[in-house]
Amino acid sequence: MKTPRLLILAFAATAMSLFFTDTARAEETVREWTDVKGRKVLALFLSVDANTDGDQFISLKTADGGVHRLPIKNLIKEDQALALSLQPSATFVPTNLSTADAAAKIDALIYKMLAAKGIKPNAPSSDEQFMRRAYLDIAGRIPSLEEATVFLSDSSANRRAKLIDQLLDSPGYNSHLYNYFADMFRIQDPNNGRGLVRAQPYVDWLKDRIARNKPYNETVALMLTASGKLWNNGATGYLLRDSGMLLDNLSNTFAIFLGTDVACAQCHDHPFSEWTQMQFYQLAAFFGATSTRANGRAMAKKKGEMAVDPQERIMAELTAMNADMATKVERQVRDIIEANRLVVSDTGENRLRLPMDYKYKDAKGGDPVAPKFITWGKTDRRSGAYKENKTKEEEKLRDAFAGWLTHPENPRFGVTIANRLWKRAFGQGVAEPVRNVDDPKSASNPELLVHLGAEMVRLGFDLKKFQRIIYNTNAWQRSTTTEAVPMGTHYYFQGPLLHRMTAEQAWDSFVTLMIGNPDYLRNEDGGQMQNAIDIDVDKTDGKVMASKLEALQRARSDKKEKVNGNIATAGDDMMKRDEIVGFAGMKLMRASELEQPAPAGHFLREFGQSNRELVDGGELSGSQPQVLMLMNG
C-alpha cells in the first residue's frame, strides 16, 4: 500500500525538529527507502557501518522511534549508492544517541574511507587480545591473573562492553589519564629537597578533577584563569609552571589545547603557515595584565630611597635579633621568600609591548599591543566563541581568553582533545602531529576528524563518555596492524596500530606482576609541602619570619613523632604494606604516585618517561640500556 503523503510530511517534520539543526540535511535523509523485493519504508538515515568481515550495514530510524540495522545489499542499487554518499553532518544531534550507535557512526566513517582506498578492515581481535589491550589503554597496566580469569570465564554477549565500563570507572583509569596529562602539561614535582616549592597541590587538584570526571573545558578554563599561590589554589600550577615566561606558556597553550604550533611566531612571522608575529603578540596581550611573580620590594620603597630586596631586609632584622640563628636559617629564608613570589595575579595594566627588534611595517618595536583573537576561517567570528568573549577590562582579559579557547564553537578546541584521545587509543592521530592540526583537511580522514570534534562537544567535553565510544567501536576492537606506516603517509584505522607501551604502562605492568592490583597503594609522602610558609613578601619583617620558622619546626617535630608512633604500633597489614612499598629500595607504586618525573636512572626514565621540559616529551623508542635494565636491574 502506498504511504499517504500527509504521513510522509508529518514524519519528516517531526524528524527534522527532533534530530537536526540543519534543515537541508534532514530533507535529504528522511525519505522512502526501497529493498530489492520492492518493499518501502519511510525512515531517517542514521549511518552506514561495517562488521569485521567488511559487510556493510545501514541504520535507519522509523516513525515509531525504532532503529533498524540491515545489510546495505538488501536495498536497491540507487539507495545503496545514496546511503554510501550520505554521512550525518557535524550538526547532527540525536536526543539520546546510545554508545553503540555513536560507535557505529564512527565505524561507518572509517569503513567509508577504507572502501574508498580499497583496504579491508583487520580481523576481529580475540578475547585475550581485547582484554590485554583494554587494560593497557584504559587502566594503564596489564590485568592480574585473577582479573584475566574473571573476564575470560565470562560468556555473556556484552562482556567486552562490561569490561570497558568497569575499567573506565576504576582508579586505574584515573592514574593512566593523569600520566598522560602530566606529560602534556609538563608537571614537575621532584621530592628531593631542592625545589623552591613542591607542585603537589597542582598534582592533587588535577587528579581530583580526573577522578570526579569534571568536564575538560571547565578544567582548562580554571587553569587559565586561576589566581593566587600554589598551595591555596592548585589550578595556578599551569601558569606557574612557566612563571615569568608567559610568552613561552602561550606557545605551549596553543600546542596543547588548539593543536597549533605558534612557537616560531614568537620571534618572526611563521615560515610555514599564515601566523604572523603580530598575531602572536595580539594573543599574548590577553595575558599582558597577568603577573606570575611578585617582586616583594614594596615595603622598602620610600621617596628618594632605593628598593631593598626583601631577603636582605629580613636577614638584617634577623641578624639584629640573633646572629647565630640568622646564619642557620639564611638559605631557608631565601627559599621561603622565593616560594612566596610565585603568585598569579592581575595587575590592572596591560604592559605587553612588541619586542624592540620588531621588523614589520604594521608597527614599531616597543609599541603597545591590543588583544585580538586569531581566526582560522572567514566565518569564525560569527560563532559564539568570538561574540561572547569580548572585553576591554584588563582584569578580565584572561577570562575572555579562556572563554574563547574552551568555547564549544571554537573551531579547534574540541577537535584537538578528540584527536589526542584518538591517538592514545589507536597509536596515531587522525591528524598528525597532534600539536599542529592547523589544516584539518590534510588529515587522513577529514570527515572523521570533524565528527570526533563534534562528538566531544555533543558530550559536553566528558572525556570518559568520549573514550567509552571509541573503545566500543569495531575499529578499536580489531586486530592490530603490525606493519609500520611509512613516514609521510596516512593510516586509515583498519585496526589499532601496534605501538610500544609508554614508560608508565611498562612500570605499572611490572608492579602488577609483583603485587597484583596496585591501585590501592598511595604515596603517603605526596602531601608534604616544601617551604609552604604563607607570607606577604611586602609586609613580613624579621620578627614575623622568626615566629613562622619556629612554628614550622614545631610542626615538623610533631609529624615525625606521630609517624614514628604509627610505625611502632603498626599491625601486620601496615608492615606488609611497608615491605611491598619498599621492595629492593624502590617504591612499588603506580607511576602516578611517584616523583614527577622520576629521578634519572629510574626504570621510568630509562624506558622513556619525559623529563617534562617539552610538551608530550615521552619517548617510545627502544634502547640497549632498557635491555640491560631488564636483564640486570
Side-chain angles (χ1 to χ4, degrees):
M1 184 177 72
K2 190 174 181 179
T3 307
R5 179 173 175 79
L6 183 60
L7 177 59
I8 294 176
L9 293 175
F11 176 66
T14 302
M16 285 188 285
S17 64
L18 288 177
F19 298 102
F20 288 88
T21 59
D22 186 336
T23 305
R25 189 69 182 173
E27 291 174 347
E28 292 173 5
T29 56
V30 177
R31 65 186 300 276
E32 278 189 332
W33 299 85
T34 306
D35 70 4
V36 292
K37 295 182 179 181
R39 295 175 295 187
K40 299 179 184 295
V41 63
L42 182 70
L44 173 71
F45 171 81
L46 293 180
S47 65
V48 172
D49 67 288
N51 62 19
T52 53
D53 295 324
D55 299 322
Q56 293 174 287
F57 293 81
I58 182 172
S59 295
L60 301 172
K61 190 164 188 175
T62 51
D64 60 3
V67 175
H68 306 274
R69 183 170 177 266
L70 61 150
I72 198 170
K73 65 183 180 182
N74 288 5
L75 299 178
I76 60 175
K77 290 184 178 180
E78 292 80 2
D79 283 3
Q80 289 185 40
L82 175 62
L84 290 173
S85 69
L86 288 171
Q87 288 299 336
S89 68
T91 54
F92 177 75
V93 185
T95 53
N96 58 342
L97 190 65
S98 68
T99 296
D101 286 341
K105 283 168 63 65
I106 291 174
D107 282 322
L109 291 172
I110 291 174
Y111 191 76
K112 179 183 176 182
M113 179 61 74
L114 291 176
K117 299 293 181 180
I119 301 172
K120 279 195 171 185
N122 295 346
S125 62
S126 66
D127 278 347
E128 290 82 359
Q129 290 171 328
F130 167 83
M131 173 189 64
R132 184 176 185 275
R133 183 185 305 164
Y135 270 90
L136 281 170
D137 282 8
I138 304 175
R141 61 175 177 84
I142 60 172
S144 66
L145 176 61
E146 180 182 2
E147 290 166 333
T149 302
V150 169
F151 174 76
L152 294 176
S153 63
D154 186 352
S155 59
S156 61
N158 66 336
R159 59 187 177 278
R160 293 192 174 194
K162 285 194 302 184
L163 181 61
I164 291 169
D165 289 343
Q166 172 192 324
L167 294 176
L168 284 171
D169 290 332
S170 71
Y173 165 83
N174 304 333
S175 174
H176 187 41
L177 187 59
Y178 167 77
N179 289 333
Y180 180 74
F181 281 154
D183 191 15
M184 191 165 83
F185 299 149
R186 302 172 301 128
I187 292 178
Q188 293 178 323
D189 180 43
N191 187 15
N192 54 22
R194 294 193 298 270
L196 297 177
V197 62
R198 291 197 58 196
Q200 191 64 41
Y202 180 27
V203 172
D204 292 341
W205 177 83
L206 184 58
K207 286 182 177 179
D208 178 68
R209 298 288 300 183
I210 294 171
R212 293 192 291 150
N213 195 35
K214 290 297 184 179
Y216 177 73
N217 58 333
E218 292 181 9
T219 298
V220 175
L222 289 172
M223 292 163 67
L224 295 172
T225 59
S227 295
K229 297 176 183 178
L230 187 63
W231 49 78
N232 295 326
N233 185 353
T236 59
Y238 179 73
L239 292 181
L240 290 176
R241 172 62 180 82
D242 298 308
S243 179
M245 299 185 294
L246 284 176
L247 295 181
D248 293 330
N249 184 269
L250 180 68
S251 294
N252 290 325
T253 294
F254 269 76
I256 293 170
F257 302 122
L258 296 178
T260 301
D261 183 359
V262 298
C264 288
Q266 185 172 336
C267 300
H268 50 75
D269 287 357
H270 202 297
F272 306 119
S273 70
E274 297 180 359
W275 278 85
T276 67
Q277 189 178 13
M278 175 60 78
Q279 287 175 319
F280 180 90
Y281 274 83
Q282 286 171 335
L283 287 163
F286 283 98
F287 293 86
T290 301
S291 170
T292 53
R293 184 173 176 80
N295 63 29
R297 294 173 181 260
M299 186 175 181
K301 277 193 174 182
K302 296 180 181 178
K303 190 174 182 179
E305 293 183 3
M306 291 286 292
V308 179
D309 185 89
Q311 181 184 347
E312 297 178 17
R313 171 176 52 77
I314 292 174
M315 284 304 304
E317 293 171 354
L318 287 174
T319 300
M321 294 167 56
N322 186 326
D324 289 339
M325 176 195 68
T327 301
K328 294 178 181 178
V329 301
E330 182 174 5
R331 179 176 176 179
Q332 193 172 10
V333 169
R334 180 200 65 198
D335 289 349
I336 290 170
I337 291 173
E338 288 301 308
N340 278 274
R341 279 175 165 166
L342 297 174
V343 54
V344 182
S345 61
D346 293 305
T347 64
E349 176 189 0
N350 192 340
R351 296 166 294 173
L352 188 72
R353 298 290 186 271
L354 288 172
M356 296 308 297
D357 61 353
Y358 187 79
K359 59 184 178 181
Y360 302 103
K361 296 180 179 179
D362 53 351
K364 297 179 180 178
D367 284 353
V369 187
K372 184 180 179 181
F373 294 126
I374 187 70
T375 60
W376 286 269
K378 295 180 180 179
T379 62
D380 284 355
R381 291 200 179 277
R382 301 175 192 171
S383 76
Y386 293 83
K387 292 179 180 179
E388 298 171 16
N389 295 291
K390 295 179 179 179
T391 184
K392 293 184 179 179
E393 298 180 48
E394 312 293 7
E395 295 85 355
K396 296 182 179 180
L397 288 177
R398 279 195 294 147
D399 292 337
F401 181 87
W404 165 77
L405 184 141
T406 62
H407 196 282
E409 295 183 39
N410 186 302
R412 292 291 181 271
F413 183 66
V415 165
T416 299
I417 184 59
N419 189 47
R420 279 181 165 276
L421 294 179
W422 183 270
K423 181 172 184 174
R424 277 184 91 221
F426 281 86
Q428 185 156 314
V430 182
E432 285 284 352
V434 295
R435 294 184 298 278
N436 191 6
V437 289
D438 253 358
D439 182 17
K441 293 180 181 178
S442 65
S444 63
N445 191 332
E447 195 173 5
L448 174 62
L449 183 63
V450 171
H451 175 73
L452 293 175
E455 278 292 87
M456 182 63 71
V457 172
R458 181 181 72 84
L459 297 169
F461 294 92
D462 186 319
L463 301 188
K464 191 174 287 189
K465 286 183 178 179
F466 180 83
Q467 291 173 93
R468 179 176 284 111
I469 292 171
I470 292 178
Y471 298 134
N472 275 281
T473 60
N474 287 334
W476 184 77
Q477 295 188 26
R478 293 176 184 139
S479 298
T480 56
T481 297
T482 57
E483 298 83 8
V485 178
M487 185 176 296
T489 62
H490 287 314
Y491 181 65
Y492 300 104
F493 307 106
Q494 50 267 38
L497 272 172
L498 183 66
H499 50 285
R500 289 172 60 92
M501 291 185 192
T502 64
E504 291 83 0
Q505 285 174 316
W507 169 264
D508 288 349
S509 295
F510 275 118
V511 173
T512 300
L513 287 173
M514 289 287 293
I515 65 174
N517 185 347
D519 289 337
Y520 71 95
L521 292 174
R522 293 290 178 269
N523 190 350
E524 295 179 351
D525 294 332
Q528 294 181 359
M529 284 291 297
Q530 182 179 329
N531 302 322
I533 296 181
D534 197 356
I535 65 171
D536 186 328
V537 292
D538 287 330
K539 299 179 180 179
T540 297
D541 57 20
K543 185 176 181 180
V544 172
M545 179 62 75
S547 65
K548 293 274 188 180
L549 290 171
E550 183 180 354
L552 177 63
Q553 184 62 38
R554 190 164 52 248
R556 286 176 173 172
S557 298
D558 291 344
K559 182 173 183 179
K560 184 175 181 181
E561 290 177 5
K562 183 178 180 181
V563 170
N564 287 338
N566 284 342
I567 292 177
T569 58
D572 292 340
D573 289 343
M574 172 67 78
M575 298 305 294
K576 182 179 179 181
R577 179 191 183 282
D578 192 54
E579 291 173 5
I580 292 174
V581 170
F583 177 80
M586 296 184 297
K587 292 181 179 178
L588 291 187
M589 298 178 179
R590 298 208 60 159
S592 61
E593 294 296 310
L594 304 181
E595 290 184 39
Q596 301 295 315
H602 191 280
F603 176 99
L604 283 163
R605 294 295 295 279
E606 290 294 339
F607 276 76
Q609 185 185 55
S610 170
N611 60 8
R612 309 280 171 79
E613 294 296 336
L614 299 174
V615 174
D616 304 323
E619 286 287 338
L620 293 177
S621 56
S623 67
Q624 289 183 346
Q626 292 173 6
V627 176
L628 293 173
M629 175 165 279
L630 290 177
M631 293 172 61
N632 307 317

